[in-house]
Amino acid sequence: MNLNNKTQVLIEALPYIKKYHGKIVVIKFGGNAMSEIKPVIEDIVLLKHIGIKPVVVHGGGPEIDKELKKAKIKTRFINGLRYTDNKTIKIVEKVFSKINKNIILNLKKHGAKAINAPGIIKVKQKNPKLGLVGEITKINDNKILKIINNGFIPVISPLGTGNGSKHYNINADTAASNVAVALKAEKLTILTNVNGVMINGKLQPHIDFKAAKKEIKKGVINKGMIPKVEACIYAVKNKCPKAHLINGLVPHSLLLEIFTDKGIGTEIVYKNNA
């Protein structure tokens, strides 16, 4: 890239830097996107240094699968959600603790202050058929805001607390969208391992609620993509201005999505005028 191109990149980014300055941005990553952790961490730290307030919610599906396999526990999914029994929840807790510490360590290495934010998600049991899977009843937004206002990046594991301090597994995308709504975040960005919503082999830069629900019903949007799309729908319906699905395996996809005119991935919108 020549010097002129470099200046153009900065000029293109400037209005977005102004727009998001002082605003909360919720970033969900983990699972398959964890294999390319360094560029994502660099992006998050850059956001923090230019005055944006990132909040990280992580997943950890592939790591949980590995640990369950080691323990000879069969993995079962119902509508994209992991069936969770007592043995499984112990493994989930262990894996999430490890991932959370790893993200914090990497953020600190790159010069940002970061801290675990445990116990902020209150839940009830979602459905007895799913076992220890939680349905979110409350997000402790005050606790998260206190962490942000003290200059830290909160790193949140998708574990909910139910009656008697019992832990419940929560889909990380659902957790991220609820956190975004509770914090009145300017943006929710979900990093995954695909380019976005694909219909007939074509990436959809924008998709509205109606079309997304139709594609879920048809089975075009399926498996783990269902909770991701539904999480974005929930966020935008509840006044989070922007919700995106992007490929976390593309280096610096977070910066491309936030700071470029063209963007990257799929934006979930009320009505598609594109």
Side-chain angles (χ1 to χ4, degrees):
M1 187 188 275
N2 65 33
L3 290 176
N4 191 42
N5 287 343
K6 284 182 181 178
T7 55
Q8 282 306 118
V9 167
L10 293 169
I11 289 161
E12 189 179 330
L14 188 59
Y16 300 104
I17 293 169
K18 283 180 182 171
K19 181 183 175 180
Y20 291 111
H21 186 83
K23 300 281 173 50
I24 293 171
V25 172
V26 175
I27 299 144
K28 183 265 166 174
F29 86 107
N32 293 304
M34 285 291 283
S35 60
E36 293 297 323
I37 189 170
K38 191 172 176 276
V40 178
I41 294 289
E42 287 170 344
D43 290 0
I44 293 167
V45 173
L46 178 63
L47 296 182
K48 181 82 173 75
H49 284 317
I50 61 174
I52 295 169
K53 298 171 177 177
V55 174
V56 175
V57 179
H58 69 81
E63 291 88 344
I64 292 166
D65 288 341
K66 273 183 216 162
E67 290 301 316
L68 287 172
K69 204 173 176 184
K70 273 188 212 168
K72 295 187 168 63
I73 298 168
K74 201 178 173 188
T75 301
R76 190 152 61 91
F77 285 91
I78 300 164
N79 295 329
L81 299 173
R82 185 187 300 277
Y83 170 77
T84 308
D85 57 16
N86 286 314
K87 282 181 182 173
T88 306
I89 199 73
K90 284 188 173 64
I91 286 170
V92 167
E93 286 169 346
K94 186 177 126 188
V95 169
F96 284 164
S97 172
K98 191 178 165 188
I99 291 171
N100 195 292
K101 282 174 187 165
N102 186 34
I103 292 169
I104 290 167
L105 186 71
N106 277 282
L107 287 167
K108 284 180 177 175
K109 263 188 203 169
H110 285 78
K113 294 197 294 182
I115 193 169
N116 180 21
I120 59 119
I121 308 172
K122 301 294 171 201
V123 298
K124 63 180 183 181
Q125 188 181 37
K126 190 173 177 70
N127 184 331
K129 284 180 184 172
L130 291 165
L132 295 171
V133 171
E135 185 177 315
I136 298 168
T137 55
K138 187 175 172 19
I139 300 288
N140 188 340
D141 53 322
N142 288 331
K143 190 174 175 179
I144 306 171
L145 289 169
K146 200 176 172 184
I147 291 168
I148 293 168
N149 293 335
N150 284 330
F152 286 82
I153 298 171
V155 181
I156 301 165
S157 298
L159 275 175
T161 310
N163 288 339
S165 299
K166 200 173 190 178
H167 276 165
Y168 288 81
N169 191 11
I170 311 162
N171 176 273
D173 305 307
T174 308
S177 68
N178 277 261
V179 166
V181 168
L183 294 175
K184 298 181 173 63
E186 190 67 21
K187 181 188 274 285
L188 165 68
T189 301
I190 294 176
L191 276 68
T192 180
N193 64 334
V194 292
N195 289 333
V197 174
M198 308 291 289
I199 298 172
N200 299 326
K202 197 180 169 195
L203 176 69
Q204 306 299 302
H206 304 85
I207 186 166
D208 62 60
F209 296 172
K210 218 172 175 183
K213 284 179 173 172
K214 204 164 97 182
E215 298 304 326
I216 289 170
K217 214 172 177 181
K218 278 159 65 179
V220 174
I221 296 171
N222 54 31
K223 298 179 181 171
M225 206 60 172
I226 295 171
K228 292 182 196 311
V229 171
E230 286 180 340
C232 289
I233 290 172
Y234 175 81
V236 179
K237 261 189 176 175
N238 287 280
K239 305 204 169 75
C240 178
K242 296 266 181 189
H244 280 84
L245 289 165
I246 66 172
N247 192 340
L249 302 179
V250 173
H252 304 293
S253 55
L254 200 50
L255 299 185
L256 290 168
E257 189 265 303
I258 295 177
F259 296 130
T260 65
D261 296 332
K262 196 177 176 189
I264 190 172
T266 301
E267 182 184 1
I268 308 292
V269 295
Y270 265 120
K271 194 172 181 186
N272 191 358
N273 297 314

